[in-house]
Every structure is written in C-alpha cells, then in structure tokens.
Amino acid sequence: IKDMIIRGGENIYPKEIEDFLYTNPKVKDVQVIGVPSADYGEEIMACIILQEGATATEDEIKQFCLDRMAKHKCPKYIDFVDGFPMNAAGKILKYKMREQAVEKHIENGGKLDEMFRIINKELEESGFFRALQNEPEEIPKETPTSKRKTKQ
C-alpha cells in the first residue's frame, strides 16, 4: 500500500504534513489520509487528537497550515478524533479511518464527495479492505529479469 496522496497530479506525502501539524502546540497526535475526490483524484484529510484540555476548530487548523505551508498540501478536511483504530499489534489502520470518515461526513451533510462513498463501497465489495488486513507477501529476491544472461 502506498503512503502517498496524489492530488491533481501532485505527489503529497502524509508524513510531511503530519510532521508539520505536530508543530502546533494543540495537536497531540495526527494521521493524514487521502480521500477520493471527483475533482483532484484525492483530497487530504487530517485526523487529529488534541492535547488534553485544548480546543481548536477546523478553520483554525486550516489557517495554521495555510500560513506556513504550500496551499496544495493543506488538508481540505479536518476531523477531531479521540483515538485511531489499531490492529492487535498496535499498527494504525488507515483504511478503517477512511471508512469512518465516509460514514461520519456523509451522515453530517455529505461534506465529502459522493464519489468518495461510491468508491469506498466498491473497494469494500471487492474485498480490498479485507486484503489490507493480511500481512504483505514477501517479495521474491529473484525476479524473471535477474535470471537473464547478458551478452558478453
């Protein structure tokens, strides 16, 4: 699975945005995910756990980003959460965060594109999310091209 968001042809790395958002004193933890968009292919969504007793608004976080980083890297969606879904080993399940984002935002007036809901449903029906839960297969060290003999 890629850990990159492709927004309108631009490659955006969630880790870069996460590292930046950690510089906000109100942010305790953050995960950045890509969500489908009809216009750009993917949009950026930041799921944020705030520091104990801190309060912040979506607009405040967006303005914090706009003041200090490129506009195309600023999250379009901000979601304040209490925790992140994790597997038994403690790994954060970003695909679950995506599912939860669809449910939450579609129920709250459909802030996310209708396309987001449709794509998510198709991925779920295809078994894509179930495949993500399994450990990745080991990549063979020998590839068909490594067995070729070269002319001398």
Side-chain angles (χ1 to χ4, degrees):
I1 297 298
K2 65 176 178 73
D3 197 19
M4 178 174 62
I5 298 166
I6 302 174
R7 182 185 180 275
E10 294 279 339
N11 294 347
I12 299 168
Y13 295 91
K15 177 89 170 100
E16 180 182 352
I17 300 168
E18 291 166 3
D19 289 346
F20 169 74
L21 284 168
Y22 280 122
T23 66
N24 185 319
K26 295 182 178 184
V27 174
K28 178 179 181 181
D29 203 356
V30 61
Q31 290 292 310
V32 173
I33 57 176
V35 294
S37 166
D39 296 328
Y40 294 102
E42 285 184 290
E43 280 290 358
I44 303 166
M45 177 177 208
C47 300
I48 298 173
I49 299 173
L50 294 173
Q51 294 285 359
E52 193 86 21
T55 59
T57 64
E58 286 184 39
D59 290 336
E60 185 180 340
I61 297 294
K62 286 180 183 179
Q63 194 58 52
F64 177 81
C65 293
L66 287 170
D67 290 345
R68 296 167 180 85
M69 65 189 312
K71 184 178 178 183
H72 73 278
K73 293 182 181 182
C74 294
K76 181 172 182 177
Y77 306 108
I78 306 289
D79 193 14
F80 296 104
V81 296
D82 296 325
F84 303 125
M86 296 186 186
N87 67 12
K91 181 180 178 198
I92 295 171
L93 303 174
K94 287 194 175 189
Y95 74 92
K96 279 281 189 200
M97 293 171 62
R98 180 181 167 153
E99 288 175 359
Q100 291 170 354
V102 172
E103 293 167 11
K104 182 176 183 179
H105 288 281
I106 294 292
E107 289 171 5
N108 292 337
K111 286 184 183 176
L112 300 180
D113 296 330
E114 179 66 12
M115 183 179 174
F116 187 2
R117 186 188 61 76
I118 292 167
I119 290 172
N120 199 63
K121 183 178 178 194
E122 289 173 1
L123 288 172
E124 191 173 286
E125 289 172 356
S126 73
F128 179 77
F129 293 128
R130 285 189 302 278
L132 287 177
Q133 293 176 347
N134 299 328
E135 291 294 319
E137 294 180 19
E138 202 171 303
I139 299 171
K141 292 184 181 180
E142 283 191 13
T143 62
T145 57
S146 67
K147 292 183 181 178
R148 289 188 196 159
K149 292 183 179 177
T150 57
K151 291 184 180 179
Q152 296 178 347

